[in-house]
Amino acid sequence: MDRRRLGWRAAYEVLATQVRRPEWAFMNYGYAPADGEPPLALDPADEPDRLSIGLYERTLAGADLTGRDVLEVGSGRGGGAQWVARRHRPRRTVGLDFSAAAVALSARHRRAPGLDFVRGDAEAMPFPDASFDVVLNVESSHCYGSVPAFMAEVRRVLRPGGTFCWADFRPADAVGPTLDALRASGLSLTAHDDVTPQVVAALRADDARKARLLATWLPRVAHPLMRRFAAMEGSRGFEAFATGRTRYLVARLDAPPA
């Protein structure tokens, strides 16, 4: 396992272990609607996570999940998988994550019809071939040791005609190679977009809330690292997005029909 992957694994395991509060359900950077996009209709209980939920909805745009079997790879603290199960009414939703602590936290606090959480590796998924109609992967693949290996697994577990919905960030000079890697999977790249401006707007809008949570939930010694991890304003992570050195992409790919 390479050092980068070990580092990400350690970081997420520490977060899942040290911050057990169920209110922290999402870990993505969020999505603020572009001009002309209607706002999401949310229940009051979901309002604190509006921007993170918005990223899921943007990633899933055009995908029909009703009555289908859905896998989220990199389910983290479980908020996204729970949202999908509640909002989109699939037959089954499985959240897969390499962090045992995150899986345990999700299983403990996230409830919805047909929702389960499983520990496993994105590059060696513990599922039979053709197990799912939809595979979802939000802001997770940058942690993986081999994106081609991950994509081979996505192709393997997808049923004929199935859909892969993906969102993640990359250095600007890696955008082209990343899209090439998606295409090389044998899935058809049917839609893709650069949503960096909407992600930057979400980061700005959520900065004050993140600062309050950081001060409340984590010791001061962890604040510098977590500010960068969360791409808070003034951090190197935020500046990379704001200046365009890092780009945020969404894509939809479809498996060949039977």
Side-chain angles (χ1 to χ4, degrees), residues 9 48-49 53 63 76 81 90-91 174 206 215 258:
R9 176 167 294 193
D49 296 312
I53 289 170
R91 180 173 66 177
D206 209 25

Side-chain angles (χ1 to χ4, degrees), residues 91-115:
R91 180 173 66 177
R92 177 174 63 126
T93 307
V94 177
L96 177 75
D97 203 273
F98 59 65
S99 167
V103 169
L105 183 148
S106 298
R108 191 162 56 245
H109 295 296
R110 313 298 170 216
R111 297 282 189 270
L115 176 62

Side-chain angles (χ1 to χ4, degrees), residues 228-246:
R228 183 178 180 186
F229 179 84
M232 295 175 66
E233 290 195 66
S235 70
R236 285 189 289 171
F238 177 85
E239 292 305 318
F241 281 116
T243 60
R245 298 196 310 275
T246 299

Side-chain angles (χ1 to χ4, degrees), residues 97-182:
D97 203 273
F98 59 65
S99 167
V103 169
L105 183 148
S106 298
R108 191 162 56 245
H109 295 296
R110 313 298 170 216
R111 297 282 189 270
L115 176 62
D116 292 298
F117 294 93
V118 175
R119 186 185 184 191
D121 192 324
E123 297 168 47
M125 299 185 201
F127 308 112
D129 296 356
S131 295
F132 297 96
D133 302 296
V134 178
V135 175
L136 172 65
N137 184 240
V138 175
E139 206 169 296
S140 180
S141 67
H142 61 276
C143 304
Y144 303 163
S146 170
V147 170
F150 164 59
M151 291 303 300
E153 282 293 273
V154 171
R155 173 74 186 272
R156 183 183 67 79
V157 302
L158 268 178
R159 292 174 180 146
T163 299
F164 175 50
C165 299
W166 173 84
D168 210 351
F169 55 89
R170 291 291 189 274
D173 60 3
V175 168
T178 297
L179 294 176
D180 289 343
L182 296 179

